[in-house]
Amino acid sequence: MAFKSSYLQRVYDGLAERNAEQKEFLQAAYEVLESLEPVVEQNPKLEEEGIIERIVEPERIIMFRVSWVDDAGKVQVNRGYRVQFNSAIGPYKGGLRLHPSVNLSVIKFLGFEQIFKNSLTGLPIGGGKGGSDFDPKGKSDREIMRFCQSFMTELSKHIGADTDVPAGDIGVGGREIGYLYGQYKRLRNEFTGVLTGKGLSYGGSLARTEATGYGLCYYTEEMLSCMKNDSFKGKTVVISGSGNVAIYATEKATQLGGKVVALSDSNGYIHDPNGVNLDVVKQIKEVERGRIKEYVDRVPGSTYTEGCRGIWSIKCDIALPCATQNELDEESAKTLIANGVMAVAEGANMPSTPEAVAAFQNAGILFAPAKASNAGGVATSALEMSQNSERLHWTFEEVDGKLQTIMKNIFHACDDAAKKYGHEGNLVVGANIAGFEKVADAMLAQGVAY
Ligand code: NDP
């Protein structure tokens, strides 16, 4: 791993030494720092003011015990996290993830990515992320509630509508946000916009549920249109995952004229050559909280295969990885390329390994990086914060219209930054630079406070 800039090399080496075990975080940091070579070269002030070493270090990390009682009356203990990474341009903002794979490295990588993503939205939100190694799978509603109440009892001391505003992520949807919000209100006696992704009856925004998946498709449509004079129309689409992002990416890709033929979960994937029936998927995943393999019992002509990576062997024009980090490796990328994929856009955070990204870029495949293409969720969360502040409720069309404009603007910000720094067509570099510039400007203006 070698940087051209000795400054970047020094910062990265120090980071790698101090966080040797945090491989996801180092992967995310390396990718961003690599993109910043031309910016650092042209702006000596960044080194003079220590901007890079400051931006890779979280402003604050909170780690805490979460004890709760299961349905059998047994005490369970999980670990909770909130990483408040950067508040240069606004209050910390980023989701909460509940998944057994959660550790400090995962939360730091997500929080770090969130800084640049939130900056790209053009809205005043800083970067943060949190979660727990609690596994919601197989837990009763009551167990989920008791966990959320215990988690919020500690978290409530560190967040606030103008300080840090968490939202959902893997394992945290409307049900969990409801329990978390109820506990915050009970502890603080405040009805305030401290969380986003809330239910519509208590301050949530229309279109927030759909926003990440819809936004991903708006970004992809703009990328296809501007870079290939093409669109979703008539394209075969493969989407991994079958959670919030995957479901609403399927809905919008279909509305835009694409045919989604596959979805997955962590056990396996379904293939439906006739185009996925989304009503059936929503019933299984959103209502029954079941597994994706149940789809084949209800839809004739579809098949189920164990193992989630095989999904990338299905021939498609557009691939949208929407499950989790590092789910698409070099081998899968090469299979997609051999099968004629024309565009890959990330719905999940960092779903493609660095080797997969390089394979797509070397093959001239359009590639949209997560921090740009999945920013629609957090952007709409910021719109929810605005509505909460003015105590108003916008229509679905109003929010969706703003989301479309934001996603188009993000695409052009990435495209323009890539051109400006001599990397035309490279949206990874463009997203990192465009996201970084605003945060760095704000940090420079605010002095060495952190
Ligand atoms: P959900 O919990 O709703 O769904 C997650 C989906 O991914 C499920 O199908 C799940 O399968 C699958 N999955 C999770 N972990 C793994 C794993 N280790 N291996 C294989 N599959 C896995 O989460 P979301 O849809 O909200 O999030 C998906 C991705 O999108 C994440 O990377 C998240 O950070 C990102 N994202 C989400 C946003 C949002 O607004 N929700 C905003 C921006 C990004 P299973 O049920 O088997 O676990």
Side-chain angles (χ1 to χ4, degrees):
M1 292 201 176
F3 292 91
K4 282 188 226 118
S5 149
S6 59
Y7 172 44
L8 289 173
Q9 187 71 54
R10 193 162 17 89
V11 174
Y12 183 79
D13 287 347
L15 197 69
E17 202 180 323
R18 268 180 295 135
N19 303 281
E21 77 295 357
Q22 296 177 2
K23 63 180 178 15
E24 292 87 358
F25 172 56
L26 291 174
Q27 180 183 337
Y30 187 85
E31 190 224 70
V32 171
L33 264 50
E34 196 180 26
S35 298
L36 296 180
E37 296 263 19
V39 187
V40 165
E41 194 185 321
Q42 291 178 31
N43 302 281
K45 242 192 152 21
L46 295 173
E47 181 170 358
E48 286 160 28
E49 298 298 321
I51 291 294
I52 306 293
E53 47 271 60
R54 281 197 274 153
I55 213 166
V56 295
E57 193 65 33
E59 288 171 13
R60 195 170 298 106
I61 294 177
I62 301 141
M63 273 173 70
F64 50 100
R65 181 179 67 201
V66 188
S67 317
W68 56 282
V69 179
D70 69 17
D71 285 346
K74 196 165 176 295
V75 176
Q76 301 285 344
V77 179
N78 287 100
R79 187 170 287 174
Y81 302 87
R82 186 70 184 167
V83 173
Q84 299 181 329
F85 224 118
N86 193 298
S87 62
I89 65 169
Y92 310 105
K93 178 99 200 82
L96 298 171
R97 175 175 293 192
L98 298 183
H99 194 274
S101 64
V102 164
N103 57 37
L104 188 56
S105 173
V106 168
I107 298 298
K108 278 180 70 180
F109 118 65
L110 290 164
F112 184 67
E113 289 283 290
Q114 200 81 43
I115 304 170
F116 308 100
K117 180 187 310 199
N118 292 3
S119 164
L120 282 170
T121 66
L123 300 167
I125 38 179
K129 198 82 188 188
S132 171
D133 57 1
F134 172 78
D135 186 359
K137 259 189 225 123
K139 303 287 190 301
S140 70
D141 284 355
R142 290 291 191 220
E143 288 176 321
I144 300 278
M145 184 179 77
R146 288 194 291 271
F147 170 83
C148 288
Q149 290 176 339
S150 178
F151 184 84
M152 182 52 89
T153 301
E154 177 59 32
L155 187 69
S156 66
K157 299 169 192 163
H158 311 284
I159 62 176
D162 294 313
T163 308
D164 182 356
V165 184
D169 189 75
I170 290 179
V172 177
R175 173 182 59 172
E176 292 74 19
I177 293 289
Y179 294 148
L180 292 163
Y181 191 74
Q183 182 71 355
Y184 182 87
K185 194 159 57 60
R186 177 186 185 191
L187 292 165
R188 303 291 286 260
N189 198 22
E190 272 174 17
F191 196 103
T192 171
V194 68
L195 293 169
T196 57
K198 299 185 291 299
L200 296 177
S201 55
Y202 63 96
S205 173
L206 286 161
R208 174 62 188 92
T209 305
E210 294 83 355
T212 309
Y214 277 25
L216 171 66
C217 293
Y218 295 145
Y219 186 100
T220 307
E221 187 80 341
E222 189 70 5
M223 174 176 79
L224 289 166
S225 160
C226 297
M227 297 176 96
K228 280 262 194 293
N229 198 21
D230 211 329
S231 73
F232 266 102
K233 208 161 271 154
K235 302 293 185 300
T236 300
V237 185
V238 164
I239 300 183
S240 63
S242 50
N244 172 265
V245 180
I247 286 176
Y248 291 96
T250 302
E251 188 162 286
K252 186 50 73 180
T254 309
Q255 285 171 10
L256 291 170
K259 182 162 82 166
V260 179
V261 297
L263 288 172
S264 63
D265 59 23
S266 53
N267 295 114
Y269 65 92
I270 55 139
H271 183 202
D272 187 345
N274 299 317
V276 161
N277 181 331
L278 196 58
D279 290 339
V280 173
V281 175
K282 283 185 180 175
Q283 177 65 27
I284 295 169
K285 300 301 294 187
E286 293 186 336
V287 181
E288 300 167 19
R289 297 183 187 275
R291 308 300 298 160
I292 199 66
K293 72 173 174 204
E294 294 164 38
Y295 182 89
V296 296
D297 302 331
R298 306 183 198 190
V299 182
S302 62
T303 54
Y304 174 75
T305 310
E306 279 290 328
C308 43
R309 278 176 201 248
I311 193 170
W312 306 120
S313 65
I314 297 170
K315 189 172 162 52
C316 64
D317 304 304
I318 299 171
L320 305 176
C322 294
T324 196
Q325 64 270 8
N326 293 326
E327 55 162 312
L328 201 171
D329 60 12
E330 186 178 17
E331 198 188 324
S332 304
K334 286 186 172 157
T335 308
L336 280 165
I337 295 165
N339 283 338
V341 74
M342 66 179 291
V344 179
E346 298 186 320
N349 283 309
M350 205 169 74
S352 317
T353 64
E355 296 77 20
V357 178
F360 290 132
Q361 290 181 326
N362 292 337
I365 310 295
L366 297 185
F367 181 79
K371 64 172 71 66
S373 50
N374 75 16
V378 74
T380 308
S381 275
L383 300 179
E384 183 174 329
M385 288 165 71
S386 298
Q387 294 169 75
N388 292 163
S389 296
E390 54 177 22
R391 303 208 193 283
L392 288 176
H393 199 58
W394 305 342
T395 63
F396 188 96
E397 290 67 31
E398 226 173 327
V399 180
D400 189 41
K402 288 185 201 295
L403 172 63
Q404 287 184 48
T405 306
I406 290 168
M407 297 314 295
K408 284 185 186 177
N409 289 345
I410 295 177
F411 169 77
H412 289 288
C414 300
D415 196 34
D416 292 348
K419 284 180 187 147
K420 180 175 155 196
Y421 285 96
H423 289 270
E424 182 158 357
N426 187 335
L427 298 173
V428 174
V429 168
N432 287 333
I433 293 178
F436 170 79
E437 284 191 323
K438 182 176 166 191
V439 180
D441 275 359
M443 288 174 74
L444 286 168
Q446 291 169 24
V448 188
Y450 287 98

